[in-house]
Amino acid sequence: MEFNNAQRAEVLINALPYIKKYNNKIVVIKYGGNAMVNEELKKSVMRDIVLLSLIGIKVIVVHGGGPEITEVLTKMKIKTEFKNGLRVTNRETAEIVQMVLSGKVNKDLVNLIGNSGGNAVGISGVDCGMIEAKMKDTELGYVGEIINIKTNLIRDLLEKNYIPVISTVGFDKNGNIYNINADTAAARIAGELGAESLVAMTDVIGILEDVNNPDTLITKVNVSYADRLIREGVISGGMIPKVECCIEAIRRGVKKVFIIDGKIPHAILMEMLTNEGIGTMFV
Amino acid sequence: MEFNNAQRAEVLINALPYIKKYNNKIVVIKYGGNAMVNEELKKSVMRDIVLLSLIGIKVIVVHGGGPEITEVLTKMKIKTEFKNGLRVTNRETAEIVQMVLSGKVNKDLVNLIGNSGGNAVGISGVDCGMIEAKMKDTELGYVGEIINIKTNLIRDLLEKNYIPVISTVGFDKNGNIYNINADTAAARIAGELGAESLVAMTDVIGILEDVNNPDTLITKVNVSYADRLIREGVISGGMIPKVECCIEAIRRGVKKVFIIDGKIPHAILMEMLTNEGIGTMFV
Amino acid sequence: MEFNNAQRAEVLINALPYIKKYNNKIVVIKYGGNAMVNEELKKSVMRDIVLLSLIGIKVIVVHGGGPEITEVLTKMKIKTEFKNGLRVTNRETAEIVQMVLSGKVNKDLVNLIGNSGGNAVGISGVDCGMIEAKMKDTELGYVGEIINIKTNLIRDLLEKNYIPVISTVGFDKNGNIYNINADTAAARIAGELGAESLVAMTDVIGILEDVNNPDTLITKVNVSYADRLIREGVISGGMIPKVECCIEAIRRGVKKVFIIDGKIPHAILMEMLTNEGIGTMFV
Amino acid sequence: MEFNNAQRAEVLINALPYIKKYNNKIVVIKYGGNAMVNEELKKSVMRDIVLLSLIGIKVIVVHGGGPEITEVLTKMKIKTEFKNGLRVTNRETAEIVQMVLSGKVNKDLVNLIGNSGGNAVGISGVDCGMIEAKMKDTELGYVGEIINIKTNLIRDLLEKNYIPVISTVGFDKNGNIYNINADTAAARIAGELGAESLVAMTDVIGILEDVNNPDTLITKVNVSYADRLIREGVISGGMIPKVECCIEAIRRGVKKVFIIDGKIPHAILMEMLTNEGIGTMFV
Amino acid sequence: MEFNNAQRAEVLINALPYIKKYNNKIVVIKYGGNAMVNEELKKSVMRDIVLLSLIGIKVIVVHGGGPEITEVLTKMKIKTEFKNGLRVTNRETAEIVQMVLSGKVNKDLVNLIGNSGGNAVGISGVDCGMIEAKMKDTELGYVGEIINIKTNLIRDLLEKNYIPVISTVGFDKNGNIYNINADTAAARIAGELGAESLVAMTDVIGILEDVNNPDTLITKVNVSYADRLIREGVISGGMIPKVECCIEAIRRGVKKVFIIDGKIPHAILMEMLTNEGIGTMFV
Amino acid sequence: MEFNNAQRAEVLINALPYIKKYNNKIVVIKYGGNAMVNEELKKSVMRDIVLLSLIGIKVIVVHGGGPEITEVLTKMKIKTEFKNGLRVTNRETAEIVQMVLSGKVNKDLVNLIGNSGGNAVGISGVDCGMIEAKMKDTELGYVGEIINIKTNLIRDLLEKNYIPVISTVGFDKNGNIYNINADTAAARIAGELGAESLVAMTDVIGILEDVNNPDTLITKVNVSYADRLIREGVISGGMIPKVECCIEAIRRGVKKVFIIDGKIPHAILMEMLTNEGIGTMFV
């Protein structure tokens, strides 16, 4: 279907209240892993982000990159073991994780944003000592637990109207580096900055009452209800840590948190700039 | 026809290059007179302007108000004479012109912008000595010719992200006030500010090769072609001074000038944020 | 009598402590209605205001304009009814009130300030959502009670060294406009801004113990004494609301409030820059 | 004679055009030597300067202090020799000159300004390397010729609204200090800063056609006429270097230079804030 | 040998003129490749850089990383071919180059600076569109020639006192990425910023008249002499492009360029903060 | 002994943690009286201060000048009487104290700093009303007790990277001036500014357990231990007021206070920039 210009204008003007609502507010977008299914989609998401930035929203992108890490490790013939869904990370692997996240995934996103006309700056948790971490569990090796977040660099970049794109690598004072879960880091960064919203782009459409039935999407939950959904097993498996990060973000003062399906084109615009969301909103 | 959210998002993202192009640029919108046909339309135009402001454009509204002036003069039983289409303006009339433009038309627009969530400040050419004028023709009385424009107040308001709404009343050093043609004032203000665009909202769809045939719209003219169209009589009557103002604006350095039909809903958004303009563009 | 230059210099130097006292302080001057008796006087008052501004005082002018409103209504053959001294204001009248206050009285003052070398910006309570109001009494119609004052525009103008000249029209979120009592608005604005002084220029010399004997001027009252004077009937009639506004301003934190006779030439300079006041001071 | 408040106000308002003219402009006042005849007068001059500062003029005081230097040298039993009116200055004398100018005359003026409510900062030409000098004539010793003026400190102080009070001691890169003629330094400083005016306060009423007849005061001269008056001997003796400094200041871009009699109370206010000057003006 | 504190203080004070000379100046340090011989040395160089930053120098680090690229390519079993000393770079290799430079070498340096107390921000030529490039030679593939440098991000980071650490990857508008020679990029960046100095840290002690005799070090050359040394074959092989970059930097306005041996501990401090340089200086 | 460049670099890099620690912190240095033993030493101390300033420390110098005062009084044949170690100061003496401190000692230090490349501004407690004082004891005359410190001028000078050099003369509102003890003033200024350190340069090596045995230096004391040492007589005579000032500074929030021997070359650098202090540190 094609739109004519009058229809286009109509749509634009209908976005006015949403644009107004987010004007000059900080929005953290968690993107990565399974939502980065192909190049076309990645380009499209980055273009959405440029739009958000241009219409006056202070956007921060926090990304993961599990599949890309696995791909490079495979090419380098390094075996990865997982424990409870977490990658066991020795020093060599940690370095490869950093290399892939900060040198490949991060710069790809930065470059795509640039090609759509945005001003992105790709940084990581080691830049300017942003994410200080420690070992969580010696069996997992350099999988980091965040012990401190310094947001001065992010604030300085936002002040100058750059879009910070952050790879979630942490450091400690002994010079070690850590693989940090991107959902956790995004929640913590959003909390520290008093963000208006955290948008977690995943590959599911949100929280489903019946995981096999997309019509059972829960469009809005509050923290205590989400807690209960976990206890009752409605939320299970890989969704549990994601939902816990959402809850954590709300607890740390983020106004609204969304889980949306990053595979849907312009999911983020639909969620933020139209009258009905498309995923699950935490309040 | 109703759009679904995916379609809405699609439209928004398609506006990206236009939003980018105008980001942080100054756009002067001449509005008034015959284009202000009803309250609904006026509201709609003001909402469009709030949208432009929110997405990062430095918008200035310059307005006229001939019909409103006539209406008040009539109510006050003051007769108006016109000479060559210009209102003969004695001192009493000049005061009523000022009263209507600055106290009625101006504040209505300001109020409508406020109700749509914008931050408008209504000023006139006497505020902070903005438009200095002199008599053009003693037979016409206080119809002013601009002799100087001071833009410091406009610049200060734009810097603080206000939308200046300007009624085109001028002053001289003897305390007289003048009725200033709004098209002329808009062109001069746009020129002084080095505006990216001047958009003249009128009640015609643009320059027509055959004034009776809307299919003969000339979508783009340069200055010399426009001059020729006037000389050849293609442009005639009340369109001549309007087109001359457009030419003047281009000559004073405004990058692009548009004549569009303000009666078409969202004409300004269509012109600025979609891939094809709807009126005549001067370059 | 003529002064020689030595005498002039002597007078100037004697103003030093007063100039110092008010340096960089905010002073709200309520002007209007009965104090605006003729053009010469108005010019003179505006010149006084330019002087105060140039010597470093942050001056704000808040004006009314009852007589001018009545004059225009009369010319338009619209009858006005008064209830308890307040003008019954239907929608049509409210629009005329706005038109006269913002388009005539306001711009006249702005123009006079400009002609004396000051930088005035005329705004109203609808500009940038400054005065939000609601109906006070349905019988009175659009006579507004202030429910919120936003001072950001005033502060921005003062920061850039402009003299804000404010007409006291209010708005509500449904697009209605209201006639707001200028004394009340001045008191509220002075309070919100933490003004050093509020100077109410009226057509009486101050509070008199015996209203028929100007020698009984009370030069200084505190809030509780003023309250008592009202209760005891010493203050009566139209003076009651004026005095109540003065009391309100003191209660909202304005340091000193003055009622002075605007008909005396340079009354404001005498009050502010010489060793003895000329009206009644509230503390 | 006593003035009443109405008269006082009248005088103040008459100063408006002069206050406006000097608003935010730089004025350098050379004060010292013979014009500092007694404590009362000094206090009065400093009070005048505080007034000028408070009404928005950027005042800089440059002072000399010959009589005070002589007094201290006498107390210390150090003999001074003069050659062509210039003090022969060996190293010991130069140190005493610096001590008296920067430690006594300068701080006295600073203290008097402070006591009248002004914010003065007393500095000398050695502070922040302001006045670099070299020997003019080996027979005169440490009498300095200015080779460079750095105005950054003065500008920083003016920006923060301090009144710089400058003693004219110079330095060289070998650690020597120099006695610098205060008229010369004031002219140079005024020139470097693009001052609006330089006011030289002396003990004569201006340039007289007949030095014995005060009625022959020349109220206004241009540079070429002043040159001629020197050549023709109308200006002679100690007035020559003073007039030459005035000419120099005009040549370096100062708009107006005044020689006035500092012994007349409020001479500076009379010159700057009233309709007729009292000394000689160079243009 | 141990120093006592008096000796240490003596050394510090002797550095004063050098510290003064570079205060607040921009210095670009090219580091990488063969100069990064071991972890200890890398740490030490980064500590030197933190010192320079802390004493008020605006330091920018530009790095290469040929050996690390080769190492990763080898691990991934990707063969590299060289043509005239330049790596033939297909799309896959270009991505690995980016990954290694921006994700490994860059972040290692950033982390080391952080561990020594500096505030480094690791960026690449794709961040904020810094280095726009095009193909130099289709046979070489994605080996980029710089067509434009945008320095706004670097300037913003320096303004906020961060140390920018730059990996020299370029981009084009079609989304391709390029391997950019770090010496060239450093010279261009230094030129664009009007740097005071460019310090190229290599693994040779400078330009030798006799390449086999370190005693024949040429401590200072100007551009024309350096040109001649190339023509005469004194400078040969891999030194030619390095020297050409140095010459280019001088031509683009960098005041002084140094080639120093990065393998010597604290070479950079010796060159910049002591009385005799240790390599070759271009002027 | 001569150092080679490698050794020099080694020393510089070892200062890194100390430079980092003091970066951008305020340090008040009390200098004067007995520590100013000769010109060479004074030059050397000022050079040390320039170094501290250049490496990013906000240095303030507070000086006394007892010996110089005595010298000038002697030359002027004015007798001085001391009561409990304090100079009896009549009005004439107070003026000479001011003249010597502000005009001689102060400007000498300023000039020396300038000759070493620093930007010093010499001010006194009368500048901008910095030190308000009152009489302490009528028998002592104009020996002042501080009643108020205004630090705005110091802060403004530090903000613009000047080194304030302060002579400790006080004033009262009656125009009197006072001799203020420099140790006391330095402690108060350091306290008001929340300084990181106060360094009191004296002519003793610190607090000794046995005043005759330099090997009994107490390198570190806290406030209560210092109090006890006074009570027990370990600290006695002229050291008591000095130590009390140190204690006072700590109580007013200065982090660390040092007493060091200003006669040792570079004592201040040794104390601040090396691993072991050389005097007594109060915490």
Side-chain angles (χ1 to χ4, degrees), chain B residues 75-76 98-99 103-104 107 111 115 120-122 127-128 152-153 156 159-160 162 175 177, chain C residues 75-76 98-99 103 107 111 115 120-122 127-128 152-153 156 159-160 162 175 177:
Chain B
K75 281 193 189 159
M76 294 175 87
Q98 166 166 279
M99 184 174 78
K104 188 173 159 57
K107 296 305 171 192
N111 208 7
N115 279 318
V121 178
D127 286 289
C128 201
N152 59 320
L153 175 57
D156 285 340
E159 182 199 318
K160 298 277 186 184
Y162 295 110
I177 51 175
Chain C
K75 281 192 187 159
M76 295 176 84
Q98 166 166 277
M99 186 174 76
K107 295 306 171 191
N111 208 7
N115 279 316
V121 179
D127 285 288
C128 200
N152 58 321
L153 175 57
D156 286 338
E159 183 199 319
K160 298 277 186 183
Y162 295 110
I177 51 173

Short mmCIF file of all heavy atoms in Angstrom, two decimals, chain B residues 75-76 98-99 103-104 107 111 115 120-122 127-128 152-153 156 159-160 162 175 177, chain C residues 75-76 98-99 103 107 111 115 120-122 127-128 152-153 156 159-160 162 175 177:
data_model
loop_
_atom_site.label_atom_id
_atom_site.label_comp_id
_atom_site.label_asym_id
_atom_site.label_seq_id
_atom_site.Cartn_x
_atom_site.Cartn_y
_atom_site.Cartn_z
N LYS B 75 -17.01 46.91 13.14
CA LYS B 75 -17.74 46.97 14.41
C LYS B 75 -17.65 48.36 15.02
O LYS B 75 -18.54 48.82 15.72
CB LYS B 75 -17.18 45.97 15.40
CG LYS B 75 -17.67 44.55 15.14
CD LYS B 75 -17.35 43.64 16.32
CE LYS B 75 -17.64 42.19 15.96
NZ LYS B 75 -16.90 41.26 16.83
N MET B 76 -16.53 49.02 14.79
CA MET B 76 -16.34 50.34 15.36
C MET B 76 -16.84 51.44 14.41
O MET B 76 -16.65 52.63 14.69
CB MET B 76 -14.88 50.56 15.72
CG MET B 76 -14.44 49.63 16.84
SD MET B 76 -12.67 49.77 17.18
CE MET B 76 -12.69 51.12 18.36
N GLN B 98 -2.78 47.94 14.97
CA GLN B 98 -1.87 47.40 15.98
C GLN B 98 -2.65 46.60 17.02
O GLN B 98 -2.24 45.49 17.40
CB GLN B 98 -1.12 48.53 16.68
CG GLN B 98 -0.43 48.07 17.96
CD GLN B 98 0.59 49.05 18.49
OE1 GLN B 98 1.71 49.08 18.02
NE2 GLN B 98 0.19 49.85 19.45
N MET B 99 -3.75 47.15 17.46
CA MET B 99 -4.54 46.49 18.50
C MET B 99 -5.01 45.11 18.03
O MET B 99 -4.92 44.12 18.75
CB MET B 99 -5.71 47.39 18.88
CG MET B 99 -6.54 46.87 20.02
SD MET B 99 -7.81 48.10 20.50
CE MET B 99 -9.04 47.85 19.20
N GLY B 103 -2.96 42.26 19.55
CA GLY B 103 -3.77 41.88 20.71
C GLY B 103 -4.77 40.78 20.42
O GLY B 103 -5.26 40.13 21.35
N LYS B 104 -5.08 40.56 19.18
CA LYS B 104 -6.09 39.56 18.87
C LYS B 104 -5.47 38.41 18.04
O LYS B 104 -5.31 37.29 18.54
CB LYS B 104 -7.24 40.22 18.10
CG LYS B 104 -8.44 39.32 17.89
CD LYS B 104 -9.60 40.11 17.27
CE LYS B 104 -10.58 39.19 16.58
NZ LYS B 104 -11.13 38.16 17.43
N LYS B 107 -2.20 36.93 19.74
CA LYS B 107 -2.40 36.18 20.98
C LYS B 107 -3.23 34.93 20.75
O LYS B 107 -3.04 33.92 21.44
CB LYS B 107 -3.02 37.08 22.06
CG LYS B 107 -2.12 38.24 22.48
CD LYS B 107 -0.72 37.81 22.96
CE LYS B 107 0.21 38.98 23.17
NZ LYS B 107 1.61 38.59 23.34
N ASN B 111 -1.87 31.37 21.83
CA ASN B 111 -2.67 30.53 22.70
C ASN B 111 -2.89 29.15 22.08
O ASN B 111 -2.81 28.13 22.76
CB ASN B 111 -4.02 31.23 22.97
CG ASN B 111 -4.60 30.83 24.31
OD1 ASN B 111 -3.95 30.13 25.10
ND2 ASN B 111 -5.82 31.27 24.58
N ASN B 115 -1.74 25.60 23.56
CA ASN B 115 -2.65 24.48 23.79
C ASN B 115 -2.20 23.20 23.11
O ASN B 115 -2.61 22.11 23.51
CB ASN B 115 -4.06 24.86 23.35
CG ASN B 115 -4.76 25.69 24.41
OD1 ASN B 115 -4.64 25.39 25.60
ND2 ASN B 115 -5.42 26.75 24.00
N ALA B 120 5.20 29.44 22.71
CA ALA B 120 5.22 30.59 21.82
C ALA B 120 5.33 31.88 22.61
O ALA B 120 4.83 31.99 23.73
CB ALA B 120 3.95 30.62 20.99
N VAL B 121 5.99 32.87 22.01
CA VAL B 121 6.04 34.21 22.58
C VAL B 121 5.60 35.17 21.49
O VAL B 121 6.22 35.26 20.43
CB VAL B 121 7.46 34.57 23.06
CG1 VAL B 121 7.48 36.00 23.61
CG2 VAL B 121 7.93 33.59 24.13
N GLY B 122 4.51 35.87 21.76
CA GLY B 122 3.96 36.78 20.76
C GLY B 122 4.57 38.16 20.90
O GLY B 122 4.47 38.79 21.95
N ASP B 127 8.29 45.76 19.66
CA ASP B 127 9.00 45.19 20.81
C ASP B 127 10.49 45.25 20.55
O ASP B 127 10.99 44.80 19.52
CB ASP B 127 8.57 43.74 21.05
CG ASP B 127 7.17 43.68 21.66
OD1 ASP B 127 7.06 44.04 22.83
OD2 ASP B 127 6.22 43.33 20.94
N CYS B 128 11.16 45.84 21.52
CA CYS B 128 12.61 45.95 21.46
C CYS B 128 13.07 46.56 20.14
O CYS B 128 14.12 46.24 19.64
CB CYS B 128 13.20 44.55 21.64
SG CYS B 128 14.88 44.66 22.17
N ASN B 152 17.87 40.91 17.33
CA ASN B 152 18.41 40.37 18.58
C ASN B 152 17.35 39.67 19.44
O ASN B 152 17.60 38.59 20.00
CB ASN B 152 19.11 41.47 19.40
CG ASN B 152 18.20 42.60 19.74
OD1 ASN B 152 17.39 43.02 18.93
ND2 ASN B 152 18.32 43.10 20.96
N LEU B 153 16.15 40.24 19.52
CA LEU B 153 15.11 39.61 20.35
C LEU B 153 14.71 38.26 19.77
O LEU B 153 14.58 37.27 20.49
CB LEU B 153 13.89 40.54 20.45
CG LEU B 153 12.67 39.98 21.20
CD1 LEU B 153 13.02 39.55 22.61
CD2 LEU B 153 11.55 41.01 21.22
N ASP B 156 17.42 35.78 20.57
CA ASP B 156 17.42 35.40 21.99
C ASP B 156 16.28 34.42 22.27
O ASP B 156 16.45 33.47 23.03
CB ASP B 156 17.29 36.64 22.89
CG ASP B 156 18.60 37.43 22.96
OD1 ASP B 156 19.66 36.86 22.67
OD2 ASP B 156 18.55 38.61 23.32
N GLU B 159 17.17 31.02 20.78
CA GLU B 159 18.21 30.38 21.58
C GLU B 159 17.63 29.66 22.80
O GLU B 159 18.11 28.62 23.21
CB GLU B 159 19.21 31.46 22.04
CG GLU B 159 20.39 30.93 22.85
CD GLU B 159 21.05 32.03 23.66
OE1 GLU B 159 21.22 33.15 23.11
OE2 GLU B 159 21.37 31.80 24.84
N LYS B 160 16.57 30.24 23.36
CA LYS B 160 15.93 29.63 24.52
C LYS B 160 14.78 28.69 24.11
O LYS B 160 13.95 28.33 24.94
CB LYS B 160 15.39 30.73 25.44
CG LYS B 160 16.44 31.67 26.00
CD LYS B 160 17.12 31.09 27.23
CE LYS B 160 18.06 32.09 27.88
NZ LYS B 160 18.79 31.51 29.00
N TYR B 162 12.08 29.18 22.31
CA TYR B 162 10.72 29.67 22.17
C TYR B 162 10.38 29.79 20.68
O TYR B 162 11.26 29.91 19.83
CB TYR B 162 10.56 31.06 22.81
CG TYR B 162 10.75 31.06 24.31
CD1 TYR B 162 11.86 31.66 24.89
CD2 TYR B 162 9.80 30.48 25.14
CE1 TYR B 162 12.03 31.66 26.27
CE2 TYR B 162 9.97 30.48 26.52
CZ TYR B 162 11.09 31.06 27.08
OH TYR B 162 11.27 31.06 28.44
N GLY B 175 7.53 58.13 17.59
CA GLY B 175 6.43 57.51 18.32
C GLY B 175 5.27 57.08 17.45
O GLY B 175 4.25 56.64 17.98
N ILE B 177 3.26 54.66 14.77
CA ILE B 177 3.27 53.24 14.45
C ILE B 177 2.73 53.05 13.05
O ILE B 177 1.97 53.87 12.54
CB ILE B 177 2.46 52.41 15.47
CG1 ILE B 177 1.07 53.00 15.66
CG2 ILE B 177 3.20 52.30 16.78
CD1 ILE B 177 0.19 52.16 16.55
N LYS C 75 -17.01 52.22 21.93
CA LYS C 75 -16.96 52.45 20.48
C LYS C 75 -17.62 51.31 19.73
O LYS C 75 -18.17 51.51 18.65
CB LYS C 75 -15.51 52.56 20.01
CG LYS C 75 -14.89 53.91 20.29
CD LYS C 75 -13.56 54.07 19.54
CE LYS C 75 -12.88 55.36 19.98
NZ LYS C 75 -11.45 55.32 19.70
N MET C 76 -17.51 50.10 20.28
CA MET C 76 -18.09 48.95 19.59
C MET C 76 -19.54 48.71 20.04
O MET C 76 -20.13 47.70 19.68
CB MET C 76 -17.23 47.72 19.83
CG MET C 76 -15.84 47.87 19.20
SD MET C 76 -14.76 46.48 19.57
CE MET C 76 -15.26 45.33 18.29
N GLN C 98 -8.65 41.23 25.99
CA GLN C 98 -7.30 40.78 25.57
C GLN C 98 -6.76 41.70 24.48
O GLN C 98 -5.59 42.11 24.51
CB GLN C 98 -7.36 39.34 25.05
CG GLN C 98 -6.09 38.96 24.29
CD GLN C 98 -5.97 37.48 24.05
OE1 GLN C 98 -5.52 36.73 24.91
NE2 GLN C 98 -6.38 37.02 22.88
N MET C 99 -7.62 42.01 23.53
CA MET C 99 -7.18 42.82 22.39
C MET C 99 -6.71 44.19 22.85
O MET C 99 -5.65 44.68 22.42
CB MET C 99 -8.34 42.95 21.40
CG MET C 99 -7.98 43.65 20.13
SD MET C 99 -9.36 43.61 18.94
CE MET C 99 -10.46 44.86 19.63
N GLY C 103 -2.86 44.46 22.86
CA GLY C 103 -2.59 45.07 21.56
C GLY C 103 -2.53 46.58 21.59
O GLY C 103 -1.98 47.21 20.69
N LYS C 107 1.36 47.58 23.97
CA LYS C 107 2.28 48.02 22.92
C LYS C 107 2.58 49.51 23.01
O LYS C 107 3.67 49.95 22.66
CB LYS C 107 1.74 47.63 21.55
CG LYS C 107 1.63 46.12 21.32
CD LYS C 107 2.94 45.37 21.56
CE LYS C 107 2.75 43.87 21.53
NZ LYS C 107 3.93 43.12 22.01
N ASN C 111 6.29 50.82 23.24
CA ASN C 111 6.76 51.81 22.28
C ASN C 111 7.34 53.04 23.00
O ASN C 111 8.38 53.57 22.61
CB ASN C 111 5.60 52.21 21.36
CG ASN C 111 6.10 52.65 19.99
OD1 ASN C 111 7.28 52.53 19.68
ND2 ASN C 111 5.19 53.15 19.18
N ASN C 115 11.10 54.42 22.80
CA ASN C 115 11.43 55.79 22.41
C ASN C 115 12.31 56.49 23.43
O ASN C 115 12.99 57.45 23.11
CB ASN C 115 10.17 56.60 22.13
CG ASN C 115 9.63 56.30 20.74
OD1 ASN C 115 10.39 56.23 19.78
ND2 ASN C 115 8.33 56.09 20.63
N ALA C 120 12.14 47.06 25.74
CA ALA C 120 10.97 46.42 26.34
C ALA C 120 10.46 45.31 25.45
O ALA C 120 10.55 45.38 24.22
CB ALA C 120 9.87 47.45 26.55
N VAL C 121 9.93 44.27 26.08
CA VAL C 121 9.26 43.20 25.35
C VAL C 121 7.88 43.05 25.96
O VAL C 121 7.75 42.73 27.15
CB VAL C 121 10.04 41.87 25.43
CG1 VAL C 121 9.29 40.78 24.68
CG2 VAL C 121 11.44 42.02 24.86
N GLY C 122 6.86 43.28 25.13
CA GLY C 122 5.49 43.20 25.63
C GLY C 122 4.94 41.80 25.51
O GLY C 122 4.88 41.25 24.42
N ASP C 127 1.33 34.16 26.78
CA ASP C 127 2.62 33.85 26.16
C ASP C 127 3.35 32.80 26.98
O ASP C 127 3.54 32.96 28.19
CB ASP C 127 3.47 35.12 26.04
CG ASP C 127 2.96 36.02 24.92
OD1 ASP C 127 3.15 35.66 23.74
OD2 ASP C 127 2.32 37.04 25.24
N CYS C 128 3.71 31.75 26.28
CA CYS C 128 4.47 30.69 26.91
C CYS C 128 3.76 30.17 28.18
O CYS C 128 4.41 29.77 29.13
CB CYS C 128 5.86 31.21 27.23
SG CYS C 128 6.97 29.86 27.44
N ASN C 152 9.33 31.30 33.70
CA ASN C 152 10.56 31.06 32.90
C ASN C 152 10.77 32.12 31.81
O ASN C 152 11.89 32.58 31.61
CB ASN C 152 10.55 29.66 32.27
CG ASN C 152 9.35 29.42 31.39
OD1 ASN C 152 8.24 29.85 31.73
ND2 ASN C 152 9.57 28.76 30.27
N LEU C 153 9.71 32.53 31.15
CA LEU C 153 9.88 33.53 30.10
C LEU C 153 10.35 34.87 30.68
O LEU C 153 11.27 35.51 30.15
CB LEU C 153 8.56 33.73 29.33
CG LEU C 153 8.54 34.83 28.27
CD1 LEU C 153 9.62 34.64 27.21
CD2 LEU C 153 7.17 34.91 27.61
N ASP C 156 13.98 34.54 31.56
CA ASP C 156 14.84 34.56 30.38
C ASP C 156 14.97 35.97 29.82
O ASP C 156 16.05 36.38 29.40
CB ASP C 156 14.28 33.62 29.29
CG ASP C 156 14.51 32.15 29.62
OD1 ASP C 156 15.42 31.86 30.41
OD2 ASP C 156 13.79 31.30 29.08
N GLU C 159 17.23 37.99 32.14
CA GLU C 159 18.63 37.56 31.97
C GLU C 159 19.28 38.25 30.77
O GLU C 159 20.46 38.56 30.80
CB GLU C 159 18.63 36.03 31.78
CG GLU C 159 20.02 35.44 31.65
CD GLU C 159 19.96 34.05 31.01
OE1 GLU C 159 19.05 33.26 31.36
OE2 GLU C 159 20.81 33.77 30.14
N LYS C 160 18.49 38.47 29.73
CA LYS C 160 19.03 39.13 28.54
C LYS C 160 18.84 40.65 28.60
O LYS C 160 18.94 41.34 27.58
CB LYS C 160 18.33 38.58 27.28
CG LYS C 160 18.53 37.08 27.06
CD LYS C 160 19.84 36.80 26.36
CE LYS C 160 19.96 35.33 26.01
NZ LYS C 160 21.27 35.04 25.39
N TYR C 162 16.18 42.55 28.98
CA TYR C 162 14.98 43.18 28.47
C TYR C 162 14.09 43.59 29.63
O TYR C 162 14.17 43.04 30.73
CB TYR C 162 14.19 42.20 27.58
CG TYR C 162 14.92 41.80 26.33
CD1 TYR C 162 15.40 40.50 26.16
CD2 TYR C 162 15.14 42.70 25.29
CE1 TYR C 162 16.08 40.12 25.01
CE2 TYR C 162 15.81 42.33 24.14
CZ TYR C 162 16.28 41.04 24.00
OH TYR C 162 16.95 40.68 22.86
N GLY C 175 -8.61 26.48 26.09
CA GLY C 175 -8.49 27.53 25.09
C GLY C 175 -9.25 28.80 25.45
O GLY C 175 -9.31 29.74 24.66
N ILE C 177 -9.85 32.39 27.45
CA ILE C 177 -8.99 33.43 27.99
C ILE C 177 -9.74 34.20 29.05
O ILE C 177 -10.97 34.25 29.06
CB ILE C 177 -8.45 34.39 26.90
CG1 ILE C 177 -9.59 34.92 26.04
CG2 ILE C 177 -7.41 33.69 26.04
CD1 ILE C 177 -9.14 35.99 25.07
#
